[in-house]
Amino acid sequence: ASMKKTVNRVYGACVALALGTAILGLGSRGALAALATFICLVLLTTVGGRQRLKLLVLLVLVVGVSAGVIFSRASANRLTAMDDDARRTTYQTGFTALADGGFLGSITGLGYGALWPWYMTDMSMAPLASPQYYHATPFGYTLYHPHSTVLFLVVELGVIGLLFCGQLVMTLGHILRRSVKRAHYQYFSCAVVASSVALLVDFFFF
């Protein structure tokens, strides 16, 4: 039993190292935010006392080794540079569309694909420099997709999208509470909840 426990721990550490390296290697700030949220959730909900300290040390080591592997060959500019004009302009255009739509527009939304026809651009295989990737709308310039699932849902689907977001938050909260209470699949539940943070800054297809 002791040997099996040791093997499981080593296996878990190797998997965590591989995943940490992959996340940092992607250069995604959304993934990095999700990873930080996962660490916080694990520390707050699954362990306590000395175990919490041990887990914190292990996680710091895993992230440190992963970062060392990635940034010994790659630049960290993608993760550290928060200045993103294209994304900022896209968000501003989305908020402008939401404000200009008035009460009725907030209820109904602009309609699927009205502001971000991402599927058309993907189908056309257009080059990155083409107007299809960064185009003018009645509300301002925007990238061809919103870089935020939440913004997409609220702006294009209105109250239906907002209700979907609310239901998703409640469902994830219920999953986390139930797993912590039953001490069952706690780490997996923390990972599922943490991954939802990326919905704020990344777009997942609908």
Side-chain angles (χ1 to χ4, degrees), residues 16 97 119 139 188:
Y119 47 88
F139 309 102
F188 177 75

Side-chain angles (χ1 to χ4, degrees), residues 115-126:
L115 191 61
W116 296 294
W118 59 269
Y119 47 88
M120 295 296 292
T121 306
D122 282 347
M123 286 289 291
S124 68
M125 300 294 290

Side-chain angles (χ1 to χ4, degrees), residues 106-145:
S106 300
I107 297 297
T108 61
L110 296 179
Y112 189 86
L115 191 61
W116 296 294
W118 59 269
Y119 47 88
M120 295 296 292
T121 306
D122 282 347
M123 286 289 291
S124 68
M125 300 294 290
L128 289 172
S130 74
Q132 287 178 284
Y133 270 80
Y134 197 69
H135 62 275
T137 73
F139 309 102
Y141 283 93
T142 176
L143 292 169
Y144 79 102
H145 71 77

Side-chain angles (χ1 to χ4, degrees), residues 20-107:
T21 303
I23 289 172
L24 292 175
L26 287 171
S28 170
R29 287 162 290 191
L32 191 62
L35 177 61
T37 303
F38 171 71
I39 292 173
C40 291
L41 286 175
V42 168
L43 292 175
L44 291 172
T45 62
T46 63
V47 293
R50 298 177 91 182
Q51 279 188 313
R52 181 175 296 173
L53 180 59
K54 289 180 181 178
L55 184 59
L56 178 60
V57 171
L58 177 62
L59 290 171
V60 169
L61 285 173
V62 166
V63 173
V65 172
S66 300
V69 170
I70 293 298
F71 300 130
S72 64
R73 296 289 182 179
S75 171
N77 291 340
R78 169 70 178 161
L79 291 174
T80 57
M82 294 293 112
D83 193 21
D84 191 332
D85 291 335
R87 187 172 294 202
R88 185 187 309 113
T89 301
T90 297
Y91 290 162
Q92 185 174 349
T93 298
F95 292 135
T96 300
L98 191 62
D100 289 356
F103 177 74
L104 183 60
S106 300
I107 297 297

Side-chain angles (χ1 to χ4, degrees), residues 166-180 193:
Q167 181 61 48
L168 179 62
V169 170
M170 288 191 293
T171 300
L172 291 173
H174 174 69
I175 290 172
L176 184 61
R177 285 195 305 271
R178 186 176 62 181
S179 66
V180 170
V193 173

